[in-house]
Amino acid sequence: MAEVVRMPKMSDTMTEGVIAKWHKKVGDRVNSGDLVAEIETDKATMDFESYQEGTLLYIGPKEGEAVAIDAVIAVLGEEGEDYKALLDGDAAPAAKAEEPSKEEAPKEEKAEESAPAGEQVSAEDLGVTVITMPLLSDTMTEGVIAQWNFKVGDSIKSDDAIADVETDKATMEVTAYAEGTLLYVGVEAGQAAKVNDIIAIVGPAGTDVTPLLNQKPAAKAEVKSEEKKADAPAETSAAPEAAISTSSDSRVKASPLAKKIAKEKGIDLSQVKGSAEGGRIVKKDVENFTPSAAPAAAASAPAKAAETEAKTVSLPQYIGEERFTEKPVNQMRKTIARRLSESLFTAPHFYLNVSIDMDNAIAARAQINEVAPVKVSFNDIVIKAVAIALKQHPAVNSSWLGDKIRYNEHTNIGVAIAVEDGLLVPVVRFADGKSLSHISAEVKDFAQKAKAKKLQPADWEGSTFTVSNLGMFGIDEFTSIINSPDGAILSVGAIQQIPVVKNGAVVPGNVMKLSLGCDHRVVDGATGAQFLQTLKGLLEAPIRLLA
């Protein structure tokens, strides 16, 4: 009787295999243990030996084609046997799995339908207001309900903040914008909801909102049927693996062909080391086995054991405990991972480095802070210098928009601020026109809001260039990933006291290293170098910042 041959799972991470080469063709006789094909997995190219016998009646995938695990790749049987029913039958379960969902959908629809004459029910029909998860930032895709301020049955006013929502950047309030009774809460505290998903319903007390929530049963039935389809292959493929592991626990793991060769050559398989997955012995392991190596190894074993024992006797034993903590990824970290991955793998980055003599900047800052209403930091001086330099080099103050490049005439400088959960980049707008004291006060205010999670979308949107400073942590030099859609980012290191050469003599100096990360789609090497040259001149002669 004909039997199907399926794509085996040859590694723990394998989801599909590529037929690298067929060693048999249709019409060939196949014995148990014969090498039928070579299969390229996600880790290696491995031999596929048959566990069945018969004539090869059918080959599905061609060489070079990928096939999912458990899919039919061949059929074995008696010569001339009709196998087409097997191929049709393989597709039948999927078709049958779809039938219940088609039959169940009308039943569910009939059971859950409560609107007159089967019409769709809207919020207006019931006189209620549906509150959905709002889009609270430009990068938000879902929000987590941090806290509900009301419970079902409570009276709500239009300006009430019914819940606190944790976005990817801050925890913000959701306002009801409706009056009435809280009839329904769709998401519990601590759970996430996608943007525009229903999170609550407000309306007249006693209103039945069930028809509104259940008006799309067809979609639910479709989801259920898809879940059934997804579960079926897992159950099917689990059985063979369980059978294999059960039968192989009590004997040496070896392929039929390897056993046959070992028997002919009189080789004890317990002495052969398997190279296949799980230590399984295959044909090449038996053929490459050298029996003479076994006695030598056995003879040297006592000596090695004694030597090992002598070495370990004098060593103290230390018993440790492996421990770890896992925490769910919060919304901010999810967005940081997604945005920075998109930037790094989409924008072709290159970096330019320059050293700045900070002697004059140190002296200028000391004089400024004697009269300034707010203490000015070196980072404030860098932000101001960057804004002025961008005015002279608009190509660096640009963004890639796919089919066009935007050259920004305004200078909105994003300032990277580290917080407990990640990184936020509030924006100092029109920085070129603001005084150092103004910039300093604004950055300090942003830092306080960021740590308290009080920043609003208007605070972090619209940057044209970003400054990231790790100098306060003693980092000498580093590179940053561009904050998309900006065309460049400046990494600022610490001011170091090192020997420098001035007027032919080695003297103490204060040097700060800058690294400019550029998107090569909008900024060329020479353009970035000219920008750094201008920036270097401004920082080494900071009096020009006040002109």
Side-chain angles (χ1 to χ4, degrees):
M1 182 178 176
E3 295 178 278
V4 296
V5 180
R6 299 180 182 274
M7 174 62 71
K9 184 173 183 179
M10 294 178 154
S11 80
D12 53 344
T13 57
M14 177 180 171
T15 57
E16 64 178 14
V18 175
I19 302 295
K21 184 179 181 181
W22 283 106
H23 288 275
K24 299 286 185 179
K25 62 182 183 294
V26 173
D28 286 354
R29 180 69 185 175
V30 177
N31 296 316
S32 177
D34 282 357
L35 179 61
V36 177
E38 292 176 18
I39 297 177
E40 180 183 344
T41 72
D42 57 335
K43 294 182 177 178
T45 299
M46 307 173 70
D47 293 339
F48 175 52
E49 298 173 357
S50 175
Y51 292 95
Q52 301 150 302
E53 294 189 356
T55 300
L56 189 56
L57 304 175
Y58 166 81
I59 287 179
K62 299 177 182 178
E63 292 183 355
E65 289 185 358
V67 183
I69 288 175
D70 210 41
V72 176
I73 59 174
V75 176
L76 291 174
E78 296 297 327
E79 188 173 356
E81 186 176 358
D82 185 8
Y83 60 87
K84 293 183 178 179
L86 277 177
L87 299 179
D88 295 338
D90 190 65
K96 290 179 181 178
E98 292 176 358
E99 289 176 7
S101 64
K102 292 178 182 177
E103 295 174 2
E104 289 169 9
K107 292 179 182 177
E108 277 191 7
E109 187 174 326
K110 188 173 181 180
E112 295 176 355
E113 184 182 72
S114 55
E119 296 178 356
Q120 290 292 317
V121 178
S122 66
E124 290 77 9
D125 294 336
L126 299 178
V128 299
T129 300
V130 173
I131 301 174
T132 59
M133 176 62 72
L135 181 67
L136 299 173
S137 80
D138 55 336
T139 58
M140 176 181 171
T141 57
E142 65 178 12
V144 173
I145 301 294
Q147 173 184 311
W148 282 106
N149 300 324
F150 295 88
K151 62 182 183 295
V152 173
D154 287 353
S155 180
I156 304 292
K157 295 181 181 179
S158 61
D159 59 348
D160 282 341
I162 63 169
D164 295 339
V165 173
E166 179 189 346
T167 72
D168 53 338
K169 296 181 177 177
T171 299
M172 307 174 71
E173 296 179 341
V174 174
T175 305
Y177 297 116
E179 293 191 359
T181 301
L182 184 57
L183 304 171
Y184 169 79
V185 168
V187 183
E188 295 180 5
Q191 292 185 346
K194 293 184 178 180
V195 171
N196 294 328
D197 278 0
I198 296 176
I199 60 173
I201 298 177
V202 175
T207 304
D208 182 11
V209 296
T210 305
L212 187 62
L213 298 173
N214 295 335
Q215 65 180 346
K216 293 183 179 179
K220 294 181 181 178
E222 186 178 341
V223 171
K224 290 179 182 177
S225 66
E226 289 297 328
E227 290 174 353
K228 290 178 182 177
K229 293 178 189 176
D231 291 341
E235 295 172 359
T236 306
S237 61
E241 288 190 25
I244 291 171
S245 62
T246 303
S247 60
S248 60
D249 287 342
S250 60
R251 58 182 175 80
V252 176
K253 296 180 180 179
S255 69
L257 182 59
K259 288 182 178 180
K260 181 179 179 182
I261 297 173
K263 185 176 181 180
E264 292 173 353
K265 294 187 175 183
I267 296 174
D268 182 1
L269 285 176
S270 63
Q271 298 179 6
V272 180
K273 184 178 180 181
S275 61
E277 184 180 8
R280 183 169 170 269
I281 301 170
V282 293
K283 175 183 175 183
K284 63 180 180 180
D285 300 324
V286 179
E287 292 178 340
N288 296 334
F289 176 71
T290 306
S292 58
S300 62
K304 289 183 178 179
E307 182 181 351
T308 303
E309 185 177 353
K311 289 181 180 178
T312 56
V313 166
S314 60
L315 294 176
Q317 291 188 350
Y318 180 83
I319 300 175
E321 181 183 2
E322 294 184 358
R323 303 175 63 186
F324 59 86
T325 301
E326 293 182 349
K327 295 182 179 180
V329 180
N330 60 29
Q331 301 303 304
M332 181 184 294
R333 182 55 61 185
K334 285 181 183 178
T335 301
I336 290 173
R338 177 174 56 82
R339 291 287 303 277
L340 294 185
S341 296
E342 289 173 355
S343 175
L344 182 61
F345 299 126
T346 302
H349 286 55
F350 74 91
Y351 296 93
L352 300 172
N353 304 311
V354 68
S355 296
I356 310 295
D357 181 352
M358 293 294 288
D359 285 350
N360 291 335
I362 292 173
R365 175 175 176 262
Q367 294 176 352
I368 291 170
N369 282 335
E370 288 178 1
V371 296
V374 180
K375 186 176 180 181
V376 174
S377 69
F378 288 111
N379 197 53
D380 301 328
I381 295 173
V382 171
I383 292 170
K384 176 72 173 182
V386 164
I388 293 175
L390 287 175
K391 280 291 188 179
Q392 300 179 40
H393 302 277
V396 182
N397 195 36
S398 59
S399 303
W400 176 262
L401 301 181
D403 58 347
K404 56 189 173 183
I405 298 174
R406 174 178 293 171
Y407 296 97
N408 299 295
E409 298 177 9
H410 56 286
T411 55
N412 289 351
I413 310 299
V415 182
I417 296 177
V419 293
E420 183 180 356
D421 296 328
L423 188 72
L424 293 173
V425 188
V427 180
V428 178
R429 302 180 187 279
F430 313 112
D432 59 305
K434 293 178 178 178
S435 67
L436 289 170
S437 297
H438 191 153
I439 292 173
S440 178
E442 201 167 321
V443 172
K444 286 180 172 63
D445 183 52
F446 281 145
Q448 291 176 357
K449 286 183 177 178
K451 290 176 181 178
K453 294 187 176 182
K454 297 296 183 182
L455 285 175
Q456 299 300 308
D459 296 330
W460 63 67
E461 295 172 352
S463 68
T464 62
F465 187 95
T466 304
V467 172
S468 179
N469 191 338
L470 293 179
M472 66 283 293
F473 297 106
I475 302 301
D476 301 335
E477 188 177 4
F478 68 102
T479 58
S480 303
I481 298 173
I482 295 170
N483 180 32
S484 180
D486 297 354
I489 186 170
L490 185 72
S491 305
V492 183
I495 299 175
Q496 296 177 285
Q497 288 187 326
I498 60 174
V500 298
V501 178
K502 289 186 178 181
N503 301 321
V506 178
V507 297
N510 295 280
V511 175
M512 180 176 70
K513 292 183 179 180
L514 303 178
S515 178
L516 180 67
C518 305
D519 181 346
H520 216 324
R521 296 174 299 181
V522 293
V523 181
D524 295 325
T527 305
Q530 290 165 2
F531 167 79
L532 281 181
Q533 192 175 35
T534 301
L535 182 60
K536 177 181 174 73
L538 290 169
L539 291 173
E540 292 184 347
I543 191 67
R544 296 166 57 188
L545 299 177
L546 307 176

